[in-house]
Amino acid sequence: MKEEFNIISNLIEENTRVLDVGCGNGDLMKFLQENKTKDIRGLEISKEKVQNCLSKGLTVIEGNAESDLKQFPKSSFDYVILSQTLQAFLNPELVINELLKVGKKVIVTIPNFGYWRVRLQLLFKGTMPVTENLPHEWYNTPNLHMCTIKDFYNFCSNKNIKIYKSIALKKSRISEINKSNLNYKNLDSHLGIFLIES
Amino acid sequence: MNKNIDTKKIIISNPLKLDCGKEINNFPIAYETYGKLNNEKSNAILVFHALTGDQYVSGKNPITNKDGWWSYVVGENKPIDTNKFFVICANVMGGCMGSYGPSTINESTGKQIGTDFPIITINDMVNAQYELVKYLEIEKLFAVVGGSMGGMQVLQFVANFPDKAKLAIPIACTSSHSAQNIAFNELGRQAIMADSKWENGFYSNYKLNPDKGLAVARMAAHITYLSEKGLQEKFGRKLQDRDSLRYGFEADFQIESYLRYQGSVFVDRFDANSYLYITRAMDYFDLSKQYKGNLSDAFKKTKTKFFVISFTSDWLYPTSENREIVIALNSIGADVGFVEIESDKGHDSFLLDVPSFLKTLGDYINSTYKIINERRI
């Protein structure tokens, strides 16, 4: 978690306007507030988590990214963050499009389904993968649309979404993803972090 | 009802132009305060009351001898902690607890003003209360807070005085009264005016009181403050002090008895004409219309932080209407938080013991106070 927060924080310029979509209990918001910018908002679907955030004095709105991002004007945030949430939406493509409208830049992080530990479970055990990073069973997972680093990379190039920066994380090891190491990073990273722009 | 109560009062001498066109001056606004204003004058919270509320937010209400209407929220060690905050609440204009209203005595005639009282609006109420803030020499309030009609006043206050509050918390309210809201208010008004003792509003001249009509108005309104589920769980078809139906029109059912009781205690503390005037003010409330149909424009000039709260079972001021306020604020990039609290207690949830509401509200106010103070340093 901490590593991911650091990477996200390093992608953000100081004193900019940030929206954290699917902000959970506000841990990332709090981290960014202390390190980067005071001007940060959150959107979260769970009432309980929204109440936790508000209790900490964070500005969070209860809502659903699939229907409630529309209320924000175009380019009203310098950065919109979607941390490990894309796979939980009914329509991830629609959400990405909405994020790109609302934010001048968008940071998306993805639990990588192409990570070798994930692949091995399906290959050898023949069961849906359950890992530290993907702890749910197939019957109770909120993750409807899992994808790999390579899937998201290809999605961006197919949809003409500009990738500013793409970073792979394995445990606490950070590396850049590029066209030539894509297959390797896709196999050897548990998390992908992308800074994109429409 | 303007009984000889020892209310704190100021007389506002500045002329105030009302929305109806009439100008008034030298009129009283009754108020109460709780806690102490700090040296920096940075801990003041102005609370706005709802339709039948008054200035007695906390502690014992000297008129009813019951707890103040927002005792769950305001008081020592409560979500709005009076050990820490200086809480101000005024009786609204049009009310009957000492502020300028239809039961105020006209000094030239020695009689109550009655329906010669001008039609007032939420805007008029807020402008009058701002005079109180000036009188208390508070340059900037920490927060303006209120539920229901109190929430409408919060919205109007920020629109009128964009730099006079750091934080605004409108709860269970709307930016414009819906047809359903107006319909229920009209029902209440008709009940009062149909009472033969109303005498076109001059009942006090005849030592009368349209208490039957006012009680019916209160009973009808009270239903709208609850939820179907809440009513069913609390009362169901339970009978009142009897084992079987009486085959008559007495209060066989507990719910009937409960509503009759609510009606009867209400008439002891509330003035029928005030009920007419204040419900009218609510019906006339349409903030977006004041800004040529664009609600966002009401908040364009403000840097005030907003926190909007609604309740799942509130069908009088439903979440959708509270969300419209959030959307209007978001569309201009205002600083707004929002949550819909789970509760079966209907619109009345904001007045009752709803733990997740009380906790979220209290924590939010306290952390925001801390954050804002730290920033200043």
Side-chain angles (χ1 to χ4, degrees):
Chain A
M1 250 345 188
K2 203 74 185 168
E3 282 306 324
E4 184 192 356
F5 288 5
N6 272 324
I7 297 169
I8 292 172
S9 178
N10 287 335
L11 292 173
I12 290 174
E13 285 178 45
E14 267 183 44
N15 300 322
T16 46
R17 232 171 114 73
V18 177
L19 173 68
D20 185 1
V21 176
C23 61
N25 288 317
D27 296 336
L28 176 61
M29 285 180 75
K30 202 102 205 155
F31 184 83
L32 294 175
Q33 210 170 49
E34 280 155 18
N35 295 294
K36 279 287 160 157
T37 176
K38 301 276 175 241
D39 197 0
I40 180 158
R41 314 284 157 81
L43 181 70
E44 170 59 45
I45 198 165
S46 143
K47 279 186 202 310
E48 204 189 320
K49 289 177 180 166
V50 173
Q51 286 169 30
N52 284 340
C53 290
L54 290 163
S55 290
K56 297 172 194 164
L58 296 168
T59 299
V60 173
I61 288 166
E62 180 185 338
N64 181 344
E66 280 171 295
S67 51
D68 293 325
L69 279 169
K70 284 187 203 74
Q71 62 188 277
F72 298 100
K74 199 167 177 285
S75 300
S76 52
F77 291 93
D78 296 308
Y79 299 92
V80 178
I81 303 168
L82 188 69
S83 164
Q84 304 200 39
T85 316
L86 184 63
Q87 72 281 358
F89 291 113
L90 280 172
N91 191 342
E93 183 179 0
L94 178 141
V95 172
I96 290 286
N97 289 337
E98 291 289 329
L99 296 176
L100 289 166
K101 264 186 226 155
V102 172
K104 291 175 191 155
K105 290 200 172 74
V106 175
I107 297 169
V108 182
T109 78
I110 289 166
N112 181 22
F113 215 65
Y115 186 35
W116 64 267
R117 284 180 186 277
V118 178
R119 295 194 202 186
L120 282 187
Q121 284 202 31
L122 188 56
L123 184 62
F124 287 118
K125 283 175 76 184
T127 58
M128 287 304 282
V130 178
T131 65
E132 200 183 324
N133 213 33
L134 298 164
H136 297 93
E137 295 284 355
W138 65 271
Y139 50 83
N140 64 11
T141 179
N143 300 327
L144 307 175
H145 291 99
M146 289 303 312
C147 72
T148 67
I149 285 179
K150 191 174 173 182
D151 281 329
F152 192 76
Y153 197 95
N154 290 341
F155 168 80
C156 290
S157 55
N158 290 341
K159 302 284 174 186
N160 291 320
I161 297 167
K162 208 188 286 170
I163 299 181
Y164 264 92
K165 212 157 194 180
S166 45
I167 293 163
L169 187 64
K170 183 194 179 182
K171 296 267 164 66
S172 58
R173 222 176 56 234
I174 299 164
S175 54
E176 291 246 5
I177 305 168
N178 52 47
K179 227 177 191 159
S180 59
N181 70 9
L182 180 60
N183 279 322
Y184 173 66
K185 293 295 168 197
N186 192 37
L187 183 65
D188 199 37
S189 318
H190 75 270
L191 197 75
I193 297 160
F194 296 84
L195 177 64
I196 59 176
E197 188 190 44
S198 60
Chain B
M1 293 196 292
N2 274 353
K3 292 163 189 157
N4 295 323
I5 346 148
D6 191 17
T7 50
K8 283 196 192 105
K9 232 179 245 190
I10 58 164
I11 302 295
I12 294 167
S13 49
N14 285 349
L16 179 65
K17 177 111 195 235
L18 302 175
D19 282 335
C20 68
K22 212 176 156 182
E23 195 172 276
I24 56 170
N25 60 8
N26 291 320
F27 60 93
I29 288 293
Y31 69 100
E32 191 50 77
T33 66
Y34 304 85
K36 277 207 178 88
L37 188 61
N38 62 14
N39 291 336
E40 302 82 37
K41 297 188 176 182
S42 64
N43 67 338
I45 296 181
L46 179 60
V47 170
F48 296 103
H49 71 72
L51 166 58
T52 67
D54 49 43
Q55 63 271 44
Y56 302 109
V57 182
S58 184
K60 274 270 175 286
N61 181 322
I63 316 300
T64 61
N65 265 325
K66 288 184 177 155
D67 287 343
W69 60 270
W70 224 12
S71 293
Y72 284 116
V73 171
V74 180
E76 287 184 10
N77 305 316
K78 297 286 171 65
I80 296 178
D81 188 350
T82 49
N83 290 317
K84 186 168 169 183
F85 295 109
F86 177 63
V87 176
I88 310 153
C89 185
N91 184 211
V92 296
M93 189 193 281
C96 51
M97 285 290 190
S99 286
Y100 185 50
S103 56
T104 303
I105 304 293
N106 179 339
E107 277 173 13
S108 59
T109 63
K111 290 175 178 164
Q112 289 192 7
I113 301 172
T115 37
D116 284 338
F117 190 75
I119 290 289
I120 41 130
T121 62
I122 300 290
N123 180 44
D124 299 330
M125 291 177 183
V126 162
N127 288 335
Q129 288 176 78
Y130 181 60
E131 294 293 326
L132 174 64
V133 176
K134 282 201 290 193
Y135 166 81
L136 295 169
E137 297 180 336
I138 295 165
E139 182 49 37
K140 193 163 191 168
L141 295 156
F142 167 62
V144 282
V145 187
S148 197
M149 187 183 83
M152 300 178 204
Q153 293 172 78
V154 168
L155 300 175
Q156 186 77 59
F157 185 93
V158 179
N160 290 10
F161 311 106
D163 59 348
K164 294 296 174 193
K166 292 174 190 163
L167 175 64
I169 309 184
I171 304 164
C173 74
T174 183
S175 57
S176 84
H177 235 212
S178 67
Q180 179 176 266
N181 296 141
I182 297 169
F184 280 116
N185 278 349
E186 173 63 359
L187 172 67
R189 286 189 294 265
Q190 286 301 328
I192 292 167
M193 294 190 284
D195 190 321
S196 60
K197 291 192 284 183
W198 182 57
E199 297 284 358
N200 292 314
F202 295 101
Y203 43 86
S204 81
N205 294 354
Y206 308 94
K207 299 204 165 20
L208 294 172
N209 188 19
D211 46 3
K212 286 274 189 308
L214 181 59
V216 171
R218 176 61 168 177
M219 286 165 77
H222 200 86
I223 302 167
T224 68
Y225 304 151
L226 309 173
S227 75
E228 192 201 2
K229 188 167 179 231
L231 271 175
Q232 194 60 30
E233 276 174 6
K234 190 166 173 191
F235 301 104
R237 295 183 54 81
K238 279 183 262 179
L239 300 181
Q240 180 70 27
D241 301 331
R242 63 200 61 186
D243 301 324
S244 57
L245 300 176
R246 290 276 170 87
Y247 293 93
F249 294 109
E250 284 171 40
D252 277 348
F253 296 101
Q254 275 185 13
I255 179 63
E256 294 173 307
S257 166
Y258 171 79
L259 284 178
R260 288 181 189 192
Y261 173 76
Q262 292 297 333
S264 73
V265 292
F266 184 62
V267 300
D268 290 337
R269 71 171 177 91
F270 213 81
D271 175 53
N273 283 334
S274 276
Y275 198 88
L276 301 180
Y277 278 94
I278 299 175
T279 55
R280 204 65 185 139
M282 294 167 84
D283 292 347
Y284 279 6
F285 185 62
D286 185 348
L287 191 55
S288 68
K289 196 173 166 229
Q290 293 177 35
Y291 288 84
K292 299 190 173 70
N294 190 346
L295 182 57
S296 300
D297 284 351
F299 308 116
K300 256 202 168 132
K301 288 185 196 144
T302 189
K303 289 202 166 67
T304 301
K305 219 171 143 64
F306 278 84
F307 178 25
V308 178
I309 305 174
S310 71
F311 297 94
T312 49
S313 58
D314 184 349
W315 53 277
L316 196 57
Y317 298 98
T319 292
S320 56
E321 290 184 22
N322 288 275
R323 252 188 200 285
E324 274 173 29
I325 301 164
V326 177
I327 290 169
L329 287 162
N330 271 328
S331 77
I332 49 165
D335 186 340
V336 54
F338 165 71
V339 71
E340 180 198 48
I341 302 277
E342 189 88 47
S343 164
D344 288 340
K345 294 183 169 136
H347 179 58
D348 260 355
S349 296
F350 80 98
L351 296 169
L352 302 173
D353 185 15
V354 176
S356 62
F357 164 62
L358 297 173
K359 182 175 186 318
T360 307
L361 178 66
D363 288 351
Y364 181 83
I365 287 177
N366 287 307
S367 356
T368 304
Y369 185 64
K370 204 172 146 217
I371 291 167
I372 287 178
N373 279 349
E374 277 169 3
R375 257 185 228 179
R376 205 186 46 214
I377 294 160

